[in-house]
Amino acid sequence: MMQINIWKILVVHLSIIIGFSCSLQRNPEDNPDIPAIAKYFSTKGRYEEVNPHLIEDVLAVNRSILQPPYAQCREIHLTAIIRHGTRYPTTKNIKKMQKFYDLVKSRASGKESWLREIQTQWTMWYTEDMDGRLVQKGVNDHKHLAVRLSKLFPSLISEEKLRGGFIKFITSSKHRCVNSTLSFKAGLTELWDIKDKEFDHAVNDALMRFFDQCTRFLQEVDNNPSAVTEVDKFRQGPEMRRVQEKIADRLSIPYNAITDDMAEAAFYLCAYEFAIKTVNSPWCRLFDEVDAQVLEYANDLKQFWKRGYGYDINSKSSCILFHDVFSRLDQAANENKSGQQVTEAVTVQIGHAETLLPLLTLLGFFKDSEALTSTNYATQTHRSFRTSHMLPYAANLLLVLYDCGGGDLRLQPLLNEKPVTFPGLTDQKASMPLYQDVREHYGELLRGCDFENECQLFKHPSEM
Ligand SMILES: *[C@@H]1O[C@H](CO)[C@@H](O)[C@H](O)[C@H]1NC(C)=O
Ligand SMILES: *[C@@H]1O[C@H](CO)[C@@H](O)[C@H](O)[C@H]1NC(C)=O
Ligand SMILES: *[C@@H]1O[C@H](CO)[C@@H](O)[C@H](O)[C@H]1NC(C)=O
């Protein structure tokens, strides 16, 4: 214990010194502990890469980003849909990583120090039983997010509201989501030093894993290899081939020894070592920024066709969550209007990247004019559909309902704690449109978007 404390003190002093001497170059790109390619890790990326100010102070909050249009606006409800925190790789990816590691260890040659490090010092510490479980960093992701949200919305996420049962928790049944939920709650109970009470959560896969229950989606997309032909073509295409050749060159092994799966596994090794342990591992030396952009595109393509705009059913599978969100907002709005206290001040819903992306797509976020395909990598350089920005670990969509007095209710969306605007609804006071206008904007979906109907295999002809 004593030793740890001394170390802590030393580290604090050191970081003050470093903080002073580096205050002119706080850019994460200049930090040698952060791989230059860290911003291309797609759904394997750190939350800090989309909010770099958290690298310095993980509890930093800037309330003035909210900017309600009138001073009298008060938050009355918050729905937070949050992805689980940082996790171990899945068994499937651990197997791929093992295979690539074996290859590098047995066949690569060269005198570079990073290669020697992989071959003589690095050990394959990932084991198949880790299978996607939440890691300690993931626990912290959610604890810290909980504290930041309580600072951003102090009247909603408060000790009083938590104790009073006005904060509801709903989670997917997956262990990494349940553990994220426990971590989020622990963030709050530790903040307020609550020891005399525990707070429930509900497991609800119909809401948080709707994709598993949507037959049409499963049959036409998820279990249908031909749904992702664009992904396969890109992975066999010239851009990916070049990445594989460059990896082979760096390892001095024949080109045909590096498959697209291996390039992906190498990328994962760099990404996971960084996300889990915050180390800039020697694996990252296998890529330059151009390579990372190609691999990011391969991942974006997959998400686009499997969860995003590629097929209509991808977003429609989230109709059940869409309606759930709006019915909570309606309820809060109606309670406030009719002079009652809002019974569900906050709803915290914890799920997956696969939960958030279809919903973001249904709401129209990150839609480019052209589809992502195997042949338009170059023209998609400036696409908005970038999972690295949208879906890092602990990614979150926040919907905040405000009462601005006299029945003026407004809804502000935030993605990853940053205000965004509902696409197609820009002509509004700042980023906070009238709730009524949001409901009208999504009116067609609110009247339709029926999960049962959308997800059945053969739709009634009149509904096609
Ligand atoms: C907080 O956000 C406001 C509005 O975006 C900005 O002007 C201000 O500089 C930020 N303050 C800090 C300390 O980052
Ligand atoms: C997650 O939850 C399980 C079951 O409660 C527990 O055994 C495990 O240690 C937890 N993992 C983390 C990282 O909290
Ligand atoms: C509606 O919300 C506003 C803002 O919090 C509050 O001032 C008002 O009292 C609420 N109305 C009722 C009836 O609770």
Side-chain angles (χ1 to χ4, degrees):
M1 271 318 273
M2 202 51 206
Q3 238 175 339
I4 291 171
N5 283 338
I6 290 169
W7 272 113
K8 254 193 183 162
I9 292 164
L10 275 177
V11 169
V12 168
H13 278 257
L14 248 169
S15 52
I16 289 171
I17 295 164
I18 294 170
F20 274 128
S21 56
C22 297
S23 55
L24 288 177
Q25 37 161 309
R26 288 250 171 82
N27 206 336
E29 266 116 73
D30 303 330
N31 187 334
D33 298 332
I34 301 179
I37 60 174
K39 54 181 182 288
Y40 305 110
F41 288 156
S42 309
T43 55
K44 315 280 182 277
R46 273 197 327 175
Y47 192 73
E48 286 83 348
E49 258 53 58
V50 303
N51 275 313
H53 65 277
L54 299 179
I55 294 169
E56 261 184 71
D57 178 1
V58 77
L59 300 180
V61 163
N62 182 355
R63 261 185 67 78
S64 58
I65 59 158
L66 295 172
Q67 296 184 326
Y70 312 108
Q72 73 268 27
C73 297
R74 296 283 174 272
E75 299 106 56
I76 59 170
H77 173 84
L78 165 68
T79 284
I81 303 169
I82 314 173
R83 186 189 180 201
H84 57 74
T86 309
R87 61 164 171 84
Y88 286 117
T90 55
T91 302
K92 194 177 107 202
N93 286 334
I94 290 173
K95 284 186 178 145
K96 287 186 191 175
M97 285 153 59
Q98 175 78 53
K99 204 170 146 205
F100 182 69
Y101 169 64
D102 292 342
L103 176 87
V104 173
K105 214 171 148 122
S106 61
R107 294 187 59 192
S109 60
K111 295 207 183 345
E112 295 89 346
S113 61
W114 59 266
L115 183 55
R116 304 287 310 145
E117 192 184 334
I118 291 176
Q119 289 181 319
T120 61
Q121 278 165 277
W122 197 85
T123 52
M124 180 64 194
W125 62 279
Y126 299 96
T127 52
E128 289 179 23
D129 62 314
M130 289 174 174
D131 194 20
R133 279 176 21 222
L134 195 71
V135 298
Q136 186 57 45
K137 170 69 167 71
V139 170
N140 295 342
D141 288 339
H142 273 260
K143 280 190 177 181
H144 294 150
L145 178 63
V147 173
R148 288 196 305 275
L149 293 184
S150 76
K151 287 163 80 180
L152 198 53
F153 306 108
S155 66
L156 293 178
I157 305 190
S158 66
E159 179 175 359
E160 190 195 343
K161 286 274 197 288
L162 181 64
R163 283 187 179 275
F166 297 104
I167 302 181
K168 187 166 171 179
F169 299 93
I170 301 170
T171 178
S172 138
S173 65
K174 272 278 173 189
H175 43 60
R176 55 182 167 273
C177 296
V178 175
N179 279 19
S180 294
T181 309
L182 298 174
S183 307
F184 192 100
K185 288 194 281 186
L188 298 181
T189 53
E190 286 166 19
L191 176 67
W192 297 317
D193 199 25
I194 299 177
K195 297 203 177 88
D196 59 328
K197 206 165 179 219
E198 293 202 346
F199 302 94
D200 290 343
H201 59 256
V203 172
N204 188 339
D205 281 346
L207 275 187
M208 305 317 293
R209 292 181 61 82
F210 49 76
F211 43 88
D212 273 350
Q213 308 189 4
C214 182
T215 314
R216 186 187 186 92
F217 167 73
L218 293 176
Q219 179 142 339
E220 293 183 357
V221 181
D222 209 26
N223 298 326
N224 175 10
S226 72
V228 288
T229 46
E230 287 304 314
V231 182
D232 298 336
K233 282 193 210 156
F234 186 75
R235 290 178 63 125
Q236 303 308 320
E239 292 92 354
M240 270 297 279
R241 181 109 290 271
R242 188 69 199 118
V243 172
Q244 291 158 230
E245 288 169 0
K246 283 161 77 181
I247 293 174
D249 283 341
R250 290 178 182 119
L251 295 170
S252 308
I253 56 180
Y255 285 170
N256 65 11
I258 303 291
T259 63
D260 57 326
D261 263 3
M262 285 183 181
E264 182 184 55
F267 199 50
Y268 285 155
L269 278 161
C270 169
Y272 276 113
E273 291 287 284
F274 182 58
I276 296 174
K277 305 206 282 192
T278 323
V279 299
N280 186 350
S281 77
W283 295 105
C284 302
R285 303 294 289 269
L286 288 167
F287 304 94
D288 60 29
E289 205 161 334
V290 174
D291 306 330
Q293 286 165 347
V294 170
L295 285 158
E296 183 196 37
Y297 191 71
N299 282 321
D300 285 354
L301 258 186
K302 184 170 161 202
Q303 297 295 333
F304 181 90
W305 291 98
K306 288 201 88 157
R307 310 286 168 175
Y309 291 101
Y311 302 98
D312 190 50
I313 189 61
N314 296 355
S315 59
K316 292 291 171 59
S317 66
S318 74
C319 285
I320 188 164
L321 181 58
F322 171 85
H323 281 294
D324 177 72
V325 165
F326 275 92
S327 69
R328 285 172 207 288
L329 292 167
D330 281 350
Q331 190 190 330
N334 291 335
E335 283 171 344
N336 185 267
K337 270 189 201 156
S338 63
Q340 295 161 264
Q341 186 173 17
V342 173
T343 47
E344 212 171 296
V346 180
T347 316
V348 176
Q349 302 185 287
I350 295 178
H352 307 262
E354 295 81 359
T355 312
L356 269 168
L357 189 49
L359 182 65
L360 289 171
T361 303
L362 191 68
L363 295 173
F365 287 102
F366 307 106
K367 185 167 192 182
D368 299 294
S369 53
E370 301 275 315
L372 277 64
T373 71
S374 57
T375 55
N376 64 5
Y377 168 71
T379 55
Q380 287 287 6
T381 312
H382 300 291
R383 68 190 179 278
S384 64
F385 193 90
R386 268 214 149 75
T387 53
S388 300
H389 298 172
M390 298 148 66
L391 295 166
Y393 294 116
N396 50 82
L397 174 67
L398 309 176
L399 295 167
V400 195
L401 190 65
Y402 283 82
D403 175 81
C404 295
D408 183 312
L409 292 175
R410 289 173 183 270
L411 187 67
Q412 177 166 60
L414 296 97
L415 187 73
N416 300 329
E417 299 170 74
K418 285 176 284 200
V420 289
T421 51
F422 289 108
L425 198 70
T426 48
D427 193 24
Q428 295 291 330
K429 276 212 178 321
S431 65
M432 223 179 273
L434 286 169
Y435 179 52
Q436 198 46 45
D437 290 347
V438 178
R439 289 195 97 258
E440 269 166 37
H441 184 63
Y442 294 114
E444 205 171 310
L445 290 171
L446 282 167
R447 287 184 296 272
C449 200
D450 177 59
F451 181 84
E452 297 298 330
N453 181 45
E454 297 293 342
C455 291
Q456 68 191 7
L457 268 180
F458 302 102
K459 284 211 257 183
H460 192 274
S462 70
E463 287 155 348
M464 290 183 71

